[in-house]
Amino acid sequence: AQSVAQPEDQVNVAEGNPLTVKCTYSVSGNPYLFWYVQYPNRGLQFLLKYITGDNLVKGSYGFEAEFNKSQTSFHLKKPSALVSDSALYFCAVRDRGYQKVTFGIGTKLQVIP
Amino acid sequence: EAGVTQFPSHSVIEKGQTVTLRCDPISGHDNLYWYRRVMGKEIKFLLHFVKESKQDESGMPNNRFLAERTGGTYSTLKVQPAELEDSGVYFCASSQGNRYSYEQYFGPGTRLTVT
């Protein structure tokens, strides 16, 4: 079985400050990890993924995420938040060899001007 | 390239009625998935098609839900008869058939409200 935990319902950060959205996962094998973002009244948009290799992966809009195998975490980060980053962020995991993706409950990011 | 499209964007029906949701994947994508998000909960997997075949339907809630993908192109998800707990946002996603395409591309979703 695979699962994802996003411990924060909401994260508030001031514009220009660094942001972190937390994610931990559980999977029986080696994971593929993803971050998606949902803007109001829009579908989920792919941000970035970890497949293998470098633990720090870079994605769209200046976002990055760090894979930590020992802590089974995949936190999303950005050095300087923008008001336009305000949205709902979903972490997701997929066990290798399977197509089924398991999502977290989502974290609402609010960037305050 | 057009993205994944879903129709309708919003549907309001009464308990006991039937609703059919449609998904058009990205052209050339063999894999098609259905997910559902009930308000405030996580996005849950419903099923996965490879072309016209159901690869995994372990997430389908019960036999009131029927998914089809005739000809391996668009897919429909029918709920008959609808119950109050079926309310939520139904997402469709697609991905390429080769093993190097790992991310799934999502449509805007259909918001289903059962009253």
Side-chain angles (χ1 to χ4, degrees):
Chain A
Q2 53 193 37
S3 65
V4 175
Q6 293 182 244
E8 302 152 317
D9 290 337
Q10 181 159 335
V11 171
N12 296 320
V13 62
E15 186 176 25
N17 282 2
L19 70 87
T20 299
V21 182
K22 295 179 180 177
C23 170
T24 58
Y25 67 90
S26 174
V27 68
S28 57
N30 291 316
Y32 295 148
L33 293 156
F34 308 87
W35 276 100
Y36 285 84
V37 59
Q38 185 180 23
Y39 298 102
N41 301 315
R42 303 285 296 276
L44 275 75
Q45 188 172 334
F46 170 74
L47 268 183
L48 51 79
K49 65 187 177 190
Y50 171 80
I51 303 299
T52 188
D54 195 350
N55 289 342
L56 185 65
V57 294
K58 295 184 182 298
S60 307
Y61 312 121
F63 283 93
E64 57 189 28
E66 186 168 11
F67 170 62
N68 188 318
K69 188 173 183 178
S70 63
Q71 296 185 4
T72 60
S73 67
F74 190 57
H75 301 331
L76 180 70
K77 300 181 179 183
K78 187 173 182 180
S80 179
L82 300 173
V83 172
S84 57
D85 293 330
S86 298
L88 189 56
Y89 290 80
F90 291 94
C91 181
V93 66
R94 178 160 73 86
D95 198 344
R96 300 187 182 208
Y98 297 92
Q99 291 281 352
K100 176 181 175 180
V101 174
T102 297
F103 286 85
I105 200 167
T107 298
K108 183 178 180 180
L109 174 66
Q110 190 75 35
V111 181
I112 303 162
Chain B
E1 178 183 84
V4 177
T5 58
Q6 293 186 245
F7 181 83
S9 58
H10 193 184
S11 179
V12 181
I13 61 172
E14 292 183 354
K15 176 182 172 180
Q17 289 186 320
T18 297
V19 63
T20 300
L21 314 181
R22 174 173 169 142
C23 168
D24 286 79
I26 293 172
S27 178
H29 280 192
D30 288 339
N31 294 293
L32 187 149
Y33 315 82
W34 284 98
Y35 292 87
R36 177 174 73 174
R37 184 173 192 238
V38 174
M39 174 129 32
K41 303 276 180 93
E42 67 272 20
I43 300 168
K44 283 200 171 181
F45 168 85
L46 295 179
L47 87 159
H48 168 213
F49 283 99
V50 177
K51 297 184 180 179
E52 66 275 11
S53 300
K54 291 176 184 174
Q55 186 77 10
D56 180 355
E57 52 183 328
S58 61
M60 294 288 264
N62 50 60
N63 59 10
R64 295 185 294 104
F65 289 75
L66 175 64
E68 295 180 321
R69 193 183 182 194
T70 307
T73 55
Y74 72 91
S75 174
T76 58
L77 180 65
K78 181 190 286 188
V79 185
Q80 179 182 28
E83 297 289 344
L84 297 178
E85 64 264 25
D86 300 332
S87 296
V89 180
Y90 289 77
F91 290 104
C92 176
S94 70
S95 68
Q96 294 181 3
N98 65 69
R99 66 189 178 117
Y100 298 107
S101 290
Y102 303 107
E103 63 268 29
Q104 298 173 13
Y105 296 89
F106 282 75
T110 294
R111 182 176 296 278
L112 174 64
T113 303
V114 183
T115 62

